[in-house]
Amino acid sequence: MLWDVFCRVIDNFGDIGVCWRLSADLAARGHGVRLWVDDASPLAWMAPQGHPGVEVRPWSDAERADLGTRPGDVVIEAFGCDPPDAFLAAMQRPQPPTWVNLEYLSAESYVERSHGLRSPVFSGPATGLNKRFFYPGFTPATGGLLREPDLLARQQRFHATQRLAWLHGVGVPAQPDDALVSVFCYAGAPLAAWLDALADEALAGGPHHPVTRILLTPGHATRLARDWAQQASSARVQALQLHTLPSLSQFDFDHLLWSCDLNIVRGEDSAVRALWTGRPHIWHIYPQEDGVHADKLGAFMARWMDAADWPPDLRRGVQATWLHFNGIEPGDTPPLPEWRGPWVAWARSSEASRTRLTRQTDLVTQLIEFVTGSG
Ligand code: TRH
């Protein structure tokens, strides 16, 4: 099938990140994809090699009244981005393409109620057409999560043979026993307080404590950590090894997450990638002015930290960490549950939650079933 995916970059990298990942996954399964985007510049570092079967097209080409392009079999409108009128008009044909609005990810209960709903259009160039809402999510009544079929196998192979070489390649001279934390966060993260706490942990551990390396993504994480290094005591600064990373491709961003014991991630797409590592992580959720992100975070914590797999103390400890990191429960930095190594309780519970989620059919499989009516 031929898919037209529409993406407007509103803010940050999540819109294009999700749309690229979706497009590449569809193409890897043999579909043709045209990704219409109003700002393709992040793809230069996010997907420098492109992907066979994905054609990136400027949004403005789909706006032209003399549209020479016939819409394909499926039109995906990402996050209600309103495809151009000229394109909508061209969708008017005896058998119009299937039109899907791909929504933002949430673990809240409205998602199950809204997934699959139909919305007939009563005005404008799309009059008479129907669009259907597709909600990603964490339960069988939702559209699932993006997960390429070979993802977990690739992670295993990477761990067995490539991890240290990959780290050295990005300028991190890690040794097998080092403790690694990656950071990808927003401007408001209380990173300085957390770096203080990690440094104090390392200092308290004495000379035999494993080297703690903090791997900083470009932007807010790097800036906040540099500010911290300028004002923290020299003992604390020397207790941590800070490494600034370049912008990585999405492929290498997974390598980063797979390499670390603890990942601090943000937004929507990187948060899902952190789930698939089966490792401890902290989610810095996209802050919204009306504060609704607190409900979204609460719903996700309840779903991810299932009581069956998370001992009560660990659950309390990790939730306190997440709430503090998100500024929802300010105050002193709560004690960080043990995070180093794959055998600690936080890692084991994360792995159990991942296993539970992998039983759910992935988003692209569900989307194909959704549009072909075979689900
Ligand atoms: O950039 P974000 O903060 O995007 C956000 C969220 O999607 C949020 O839900 C949305 O409402 C808001 O934008 C408008 O975080 P996110 O979603 O994790 O997207 C980051 C993308 O960048 C993701 O695909 C991973 C990718 N990435 C790389 O490929 N390489 C890198 O080096 C880094 C740091 C990120």
Side-chain angles (χ1 to χ4, degrees):
M1 284 193 292
L2 178 60
W3 300 63
D4 287 299
V5 177
F6 281 88
C7 174
R8 260 191 226 270
V9 177
I10 304 290
D11 195 5
N12 302 317
F13 311 125
D15 306 287
I16 187 67
V18 168
C19 289
W20 176 260
R21 203 180 285 293
L22 169 72
S23 301
D25 195 346
L26 281 166
R29 299 178 199 219
H31 296 263
V33 182
R34 290 182 297 211
L35 172 56
W36 304 86
V37 56
D38 62 348
D39 176 9
S41 57
L43 292 177
W45 50 268
M46 202 181 266
Q49 314 295 338
H51 195 288
V54 181
E55 194 190 334
V56 179
R57 302 278 289 265
W59 181 282
S60 54
D61 278 7
E63 273 172 340
R64 288 170 33 188
D66 61 336
L67 186 77
T69 309
R70 193 180 138 82
D73 305 296
V74 186
V75 174
I76 302 288
E77 169 183 355
F79 315 122
C81 68
D82 292 329
D85 283 356
F87 197 91
L88 294 177
M91 285 163 60
Q92 296 279 11
R93 57 187 197 215
Q95 268 240 305
T98 307
W99 182 7
V100 176
N101 186 15
L102 173 67
E103 278 295 340
Y104 285 109
L105 173 65
S106 176
E108 290 160 291
S109 55
Y110 74 84
V111 167
E112 292 191 339
R113 291 194 301 277
S114 314
H115 179 55
L117 290 184
R118 209 174 272 280
S119 164
V121 181
F122 295 111
S123 63
T127 301
L129 300 179
N130 273 290
K131 75 173 144 183
R132 290 183 72 196
F133 288 87
F134 188 96
Y135 279 82
F138 301 89
T139 60
T142 69
L145 300 169
L146 282 166
R147 170 167 47 87
E148 304 81 30
D150 62 346
L151 181 66
L152 300 198
R154 277 199 286 121
Q155 181 183 0
Q156 266 178 5
R157 276 200 304 277
F158 176 82
H159 242 273
T161 57
Q162 299 158 31
R163 178 175 172 269
L164 286 183
W166 183 83
L167 285 164
H168 294 178
V170 290
V172 180
Q175 296 304 308
D177 292 335
D178 294 354
L180 269 55
V181 183
S182 77
V183 189
F184 179 41
C185 63
Y186 295 114
L191 195 60
W194 281 97
L195 292 174
D196 278 346
L198 288 168
D200 290 345
E201 240 183 36
L203 289 169
H208 301 301
H209 194 80
V211 174
T212 305
R213 299 186 184 275
I214 314 291
L215 280 57
L216 302 158
T217 57
H220 301 305
T222 295
R223 190 180 42 74
L224 290 169
R226 282 200 178 131
D227 291 350
W228 171 79
Q230 276 172 9
Q231 51 76 34
S233 70
S234 57
R236 276 179 167 160
V237 174
Q238 281 161 23
L240 301 178
Q241 303 293 316
L242 301 184
H243 302 278
T244 54
L245 298 171
S247 294
L248 301 169
S249 66
Q250 273 193 344
F251 204 65
D252 273 331
F253 185 68
D254 276 335
H255 293 156
L256 170 67
L257 301 183
W258 298 342
S259 295
C260 291
D261 301 275
L262 171 66
N263 291 304
I264 299 176
V265 287
R266 75 182 202 193
E268 172 167 332
D269 190 57
S270 56
V272 172
R273 302 315 275 187
L275 304 185
W276 296 137
T277 67
R279 296 287 184 84
H281 78 287
I282 298 173
W283 185 23
H284 195 201
I285 193 170
Y286 182 72
Q288 285 165 280
E289 270 171 25
D290 47 10
V292 293
H293 59 282
D295 293 341
K296 195 168 167 174
L297 186 73
F300 175 71
M301 289 195 300
R303 186 88 50 210
W304 176 245
M305 297 173 207
D306 190 291
D309 298 320
W310 291 68
D313 283 355
L314 176 70
R315 210 163 180 247
R316 264 193 299 278
V318 174
Q319 292 197 356
T321 298
W322 283 32
L323 292 171
H324 181 273
F325 204 92
N326 282 283
I328 294 167
E329 269 177 23
D332 291 345
T333 316
L336 186 62
E338 183 52 55
W339 53 274
R340 288 179 194 78
W343 50 85
V344 298
W346 193 354
R348 280 188 278 115
S349 293
S350 302
E351 194 163 347
S353 290
R354 170 178 73 173
T355 303
R356 189 165 31 82
L357 274 187
T358 53
R359 293 196 196 108
Q360 197 189 3
T361 308
D362 73 274
L363 186 147
V364 168
T365 305
Q366 291 208 44
L367 188 58
I368 294 168
E369 289 170 354
F370 188 78
V371 303
T372 56
S374 62

